[in-house]
Amino acid sequence: MSKRDPFLAPQVESRRGGPAKQPLSRGAIVSEGLRQLRTGGESLSLRKVAAALETGPASLYAYVEDLDELRALVLDHALKDVALGGTAGAWRERVNAVLESYVSVLSASPALARLAFGTIAVGPNALRIVEKLLALLTEAGADPDSSAWGVDLLVLYVTAIAAEHTGGGHPGVEGPVAQALDRATEQDYPHVFAARARLLSGTGVQRFGWALDVLVGGILNARPPNPQALTPRAPAPTRRRRS
Amino acid sequence: MSKRDPFLAPQVESRRGGPAKQPLSRGAIVSEGLRQLRTGGESLSLRKVAAALETGPASLYAYVEDLDELRALVLDHALKDVALGGTAGAWRERVNAVLESYVSVLSASPALARLAFGTIAVGPNALRIVEKLLALLTEAGADPDSSAWGVDLLVLYVTAIAAEHTGGGHPGVEGPVAQALDRATEQDYPHVFAARARLLSGTGVQRFGWALDVLVGGILNARPPNPQALTPRAPAPTRRRRS
DNA sequence: ACCTGAACACCGTTCAAGT
DNA sequence: ACCTGAACACCGTTCAAGT
């Protein structure tokens, strides 16, 4: 058996109108952790959360299994703010809107973006996002297999790009990447040399938009994963290729 | 000005046939760091490298700016083992072979995969890989702009998937993801509920192959980034400061 | 039973003091 | 100038001892 399910226990503390110093609770710990990340904290730390809650680090272990569980809880708490949008507009715009919201929630705090990368998002709010993306890809005409794997790929991309953006960042004519490209001489790395400007071009938003085109277009057009081998449960029509 | 270029200094120590205990050098430090990661080390640590080299942690600072620089150096040292393959075969198989080699080098050690994610790969060996991928995408018929951004996307994907694989892993009918999906009831998350099996289906290799199809196909088919707006010969489309 | 101070086994980095 | 022991300011986690 693995650990007990960390998302099952409801936040039991509400107590509005209670004393200024809220009693220790799982909800208070998670909220404080997220608050610290969003107000510039370098990384999530049990000791810092405990200090803010005016207790010792050991006390948190009554509410949280370990740091990894706290990370998962904090991440899901943050994902509550991802806007799923309404049902108006073309599906492509709505896919873009969801993923833009996703990346903007994560990028709002570098520490949160880093945390998101090392942590698989499996809380209720992550599920809500997956649910929406599955619906949108289905609406877009993707077959069920491509939709499922496609959502996975989209979420992976969004998480990765958020983490990368905050890690010092890709773009820009200065910065480590540009410095690296200056080392690429024409004879040793002819393609890199020729592509230097293009490798650095574009704003983050432009590149993000382009990448979503690539991913969504690719998901809709790629040969879907072999249905009969992979989904024994499902009826699986052998109709390949939509075009 | 940022830090001095960490990749410029040549490895000055060779001394084959020298004493059993090699003298401290940048090369020895980097090799030892990689060796530790590859033999099961949980994470790269200056103290552990120093201990293995029979010195104190402070001594390493004569050869290495800080932990971040050591990470970059160790990563590039590892990327030396990525096989670029020959010129035989169809371009698509060769793209796949390079990226498979890339991911397998990173995945060989969980700690290395994690390190790769937090570190932008800008050493000579990373450049070598970018050079090869640019050549292959160009051969495949991608326009120069799509090739440049496409390589970026491919490398991001490969790095992310390596890190994710080692983080406890996607697949499997048990594990945290499956556990999360069990929480998805039909009325709250109908699409997730219906896609449960598909979300978990396939081996890592199958999913990787499918994702490369999506990415490469998408890169070749997507509307290329607006060339005239993005690649001015001279300066920066975006002025960005690091902070 | 719940809670926690103190300890344990780690970190990266700095710096005064040695050579 | 180069090198480093010792210290500083942190970590996550454990556990004996308190209530």
Side-chain angles (χ1 to χ4, degrees):
Chain A
M1 284 300 289
S2 37
K3 287 191 248 182
R4 102 199 121 78
D5 187 335
F7 293 102
L8 271 186
Q11 285 127 312
V12 70
E13 296 297 330
S14 147
R15 276 195 190 256
R16 61 170 81 185
K21 185 192 166 185
Q22 52 193 329
L24 220 48
S25 74
R26 166 184 287 236
I29 291 168
V30 172
S31 296
E32 173 59 25
L34 182 56
R35 196 195 62 75
Q36 290 185 2
L37 292 187
R38 284 186 166 157
T39 55
E42 275 294 295
S43 68
L44 188 62
S45 144
L46 287 169
R47 295 185 99 105
K48 283 183 291 195
V49 169
L53 265 27
E54 291 175 27
T55 183
S59 306
L60 304 190
Y61 285 83
Y63 302 93
V64 137
E65 192 76 18
D66 56 12
L67 181 63
D68 276 345
E69 184 180 297
L70 180 58
R71 289 159 64 99
L73 292 167
V74 166
L75 174 58
D76 199 71
H77 194 46
L79 292 183
K80 203 179 52 196
D81 292 345
V82 173
L84 300 187
T87 56
W91 63 264
R92 193 176 271 276
E93 272 70 47
R94 285 185 285 147
V95 170
N96 281 31
V98 170
L99 295 173
E100 273 160 23
S101 177
Y102 201 150
V103 83
S104 92
V105 164
L106 295 183
S107 301
S109 146
L112 182 60
R114 276 192 299 270
L115 182 151
F117 200 79
T119 313
I120 22 177
V122 290
N125 289 303
L127 276 184
R128 207 174 47 95
I129 297 167
V130 169
E131 174 70 16
K132 184 69 178 187
L133 291 173
L134 278 174
L136 287 170
L137 286 184
T138 303
E139 182 183 338
D143 66 281
D145 292 289
S146 297
S147 294
W149 289 16
V151 167
D152 216 57
L153 186 53
L154 288 172
V155 169
L156 181 70
Y157 171 70
V158 163
T159 311
I161 203 71
E164 188 177 67
H165 269 193
T166 69
H170 234 226
V173 246
E174 31 199 318
V177 176
Q179 206 183 339
L181 294 178
D182 284 335
R183 246 177 276 120
T185 60
E186 184 161 20
Q187 65 267 33
D188 284 342
Y189 308 97
H191 291 91
V192 174
F193 186 84
R196 188 192 189 289
R198 296 175 216 275
L199 286 164
L200 295 173
S201 69
T203 65
V205 173
Q206 287 173 314
R207 293 174 86 114
F208 184 71
W210 179 83
L212 292 191
D213 276 359
V214 167
L215 289 167
V216 174
I219 290 165
L220 293 177
N221 289 327
R223 174 179 44 80
N226 181 348
Q228 72 232 36
L230 296 179
T231 57
R233 200 88 189 284
T238 346
R239 237 177 279 285
R240 347 195 97 207
R241 281 248 164 228
R242 40 164 289 114
S243 63
Chain B
M1 283 298 288
S2 35
K3 289 191 247 184
R4 101 197 124 76
D5 187 335
F7 293 101
L8 271 184
Q11 285 128 310
V12 70
E13 295 296 330
S14 148
R15 278 194 187 256
R16 60 171 80 186
K21 183 191 163 181
Q22 54 193 326
L24 221 47
S25 73
R26 164 183 291 236
I29 291 167
V30 171
S31 296
E32 173 58 25
L34 182 56
R35 195 196 61 75
Q36 290 186 1
L37 291 187
R38 283 186 166 159
T39 54
E42 275 294 295
S43 69
L44 189 63
S45 143
L46 287 169
R47 295 185 99 106
K48 283 183 292 195
V49 170
L53 265 27
E54 290 174 28
T55 183
S59 306
L60 304 190
Y61 285 83
Y63 302 93
V64 136
E65 193 74 21
D66 56 14
L67 181 63
D68 276 344
E69 184 180 298
L70 180 58
R71 290 160 62 98
L73 292 166
V74 167
L75 174 59
D76 200 72
H77 195 48
L79 292 182
K80 202 179 53 196
D81 292 345
V82 173
L84 301 187
T87 56
W91 64 263
R92 192 176 271 275
E93 273 68 49
R94 285 186 284 146
V95 169
N96 282 29
V98 170
L99 295 173
E100 272 159 24
S101 176
Y102 201 149
V103 83
S104 92
V105 164
L106 295 184
S107 302
S109 145
L112 183 60
R114 277 192 299 270
L115 183 152
F117 200 81
T119 313
I120 20 179
V122 291
N125 288 303
L127 276 183
R128 206 174 49 95
I129 296 166
V130 169
E131 173 71 15
K132 186 67 179 187
L133 291 173
L134 278 173
L136 286 170
L137 286 184
T138 303
E139 182 183 339
D143 65 280
D145 292 289
S146 297
S147 295
W149 289 16
V151 168
D152 216 56
L153 186 53
L154 288 171
V155 169
L156 181 69
Y157 171 70
V158 164
T159 311
I161 204 70
E164 188 178 68
H165 269 193
T166 68
H170 234 229
V173 245
E174 30 199 318
V177 176
Q179 206 184 341
L181 295 179
D182 284 335
R183 246 176 277 120
T185 60
E186 185 162 16
Q187 63 267 34
D188 284 342
Y189 308 97
H191 291 91
V192 174
F193 186 83
R196 189 193 188 288
R198 298 174 214 275
L199 285 165
L200 294 172
S201 70
T203 66
V205 172
Q206 287 173 314
R207 293 175 85 112
F208 184 71
W210 179 83
L212 292 191
D213 276 359
V214 168
L215 288 167
V216 173
I219 290 164
L220 293 176
N221 288 328
R223 172 178 44 80
N226 180 347
Q228 73 233 36
L230 295 179
T231 58
R233 200 91 179 122
T238 47
R239 289 180 68 88
R240 222 175 250 229
R241 275 310 275 151
R242 294 199 34 151
S243 46

